[in-house]
Amino acid sequence: QQQQQQRRRRRRRRGSAAVRHVLCAVSFCWGLGASGPLRGSVAAVCRGGWDPPPIYVLSVPRHEARWRRLLRSTPLELRPFLRRWPAHDAAGFGEPWLAARNASLYSDWELAADDPALYHVPGTMEKWKYPVLYNAWYWKRPISGGEAALALTSHEVWLEIERQAAMPGGRPWAIVLEDDAILRTVPLCAAVAAVEVLLVRGTGEGGGGGRGGKD
């Protein structure tokens, strides 16, 4: 009975989290479009026939089970947009691993004890009188193999997105995820609508914008 109760509680928590994510995504979109255009865009996108950008999923080739689990959990209407991107495997990380990929570690990764960056809270950038514990840990340790593999993989997929964007009719953006992501249609379509509207605004609808104009 205790196990059944625990399972029920876990299901309720997962359901509540899913509802919060949906409300958060939709509220974000409506908050950006108080004047009206974004609301119409969200409605049009979520009614059906919407066209999300490519969804790149970073996945180590030998982790086939993780990829299959992602496919099983992804709604059918989203699966055609998934593009599995072969991620670098961190196994065997070291100097030979880096040399084989024509890469090297960033030499100034570890910060000095009196570096000003250690005193700013991540996210808020609030300045403290003493080093933030997280910063002191994060910036005073060697780079891990997982971090190096993810950095190289991310760089490669960014280049691919840039290449696709330069092609006729190419989308100027894409979604990049890892293979432990959980995709749901409503939050995703709301987020896509929000980004698309921001891109329209940034490219100068109504008076210039983008990289060459006002942002």
Side-chain angles (χ1 to χ4, degrees):
Q1 289 182 345
Q2 289 180 345
Q3 290 179 345
Q4 291 177 347
Q5 291 175 351
Q6 289 176 352
R7 283 196 293 269
R8 283 196 293 269
R9 283 195 293 268
R10 283 196 294 268
R11 284 196 295 267
R12 284 197 295 269
R13 284 197 296 268
R14 285 196 294 268
S16 299
V19 171
R20 286 197 301 271
H21 292 160
V22 170
L23 292 177
C24 179
V26 173
S27 299
F28 170 71
C29 294
W30 277 63
L32 285 175
S35 60
L38 183 55
R39 295 179 184 177
S41 299
V42 172
V45 165
C46 296
R47 272 198 301 267
W50 62 299
D51 181 25
I55 303 174
Y56 293 97
V57 181
L58 311 185
S59 177
V60 176
R62 67 183 175 90
H63 293 167
E64 191 65 28
R66 291 169 63 104
W67 171 248
R68 289 199 300 269
R69 185 164 58 246
L70 172 69
L71 287 178
R72 286 196 302 269
S73 67
T74 299
L76 291 174
E77 64 270 20
L78 297 180
R79 293 181 190 179
F81 302 99
L82 297 180
R83 300 184 184 181
R84 187 181 186 185
W85 188 269
H88 287 273
D89 195 332
F93 174 71
E95 289 299 329
W97 187 95
L98 290 166
R101 293 161 175 79
N102 193 28
S104 60
L105 295 179
Y106 183 58
S107 59
D108 295 328
W109 167 263
E110 296 186 45
L111 301 181
D114 59 347
D115 194 294
L118 297 178
Y119 294 79
H120 289 84
V121 179
T124 66
M125 296 307 293
E126 175 188 357
K127 188 174 182 180
W128 285 11
K129 296 181 179 179
Y130 47 86
V132 179
L133 290 177
Y134 175 81
N135 295 346
W137 165 78
Y138 189 84
W139 295 107
K140 300 293 292 180
R141 61 176 181 80
I143 296 176
S144 70
E147 289 168 332
L150 179 58
L152 289 172
T153 304
S154 299
H155 179 70
E156 291 170 354
V157 77
W158 292 339
L159 292 177
E160 174 62 16
I161 294 170
E162 183 180 37
R163 187 186 70 83
Q164 292 285 343
M167 298 177 64
R171 296 290 280 271
W173 70 290
I175 298 171
V176 181
L177 305 169
E178 296 184 38
D179 58 7
D180 58 352
I182 299 176
L183 292 172
R184 294 294 179 261
T185 304
V186 173
L188 184 62
C189 78
V192 167
V195 173
E196 293 288 356
V197 170
L198 290 175
L199 287 173
V200 169
R201 292 176 180 175
T203 52
E205 183 181 72
R211 295 187 179 184
K214 292 183 179 180
D215 291 326

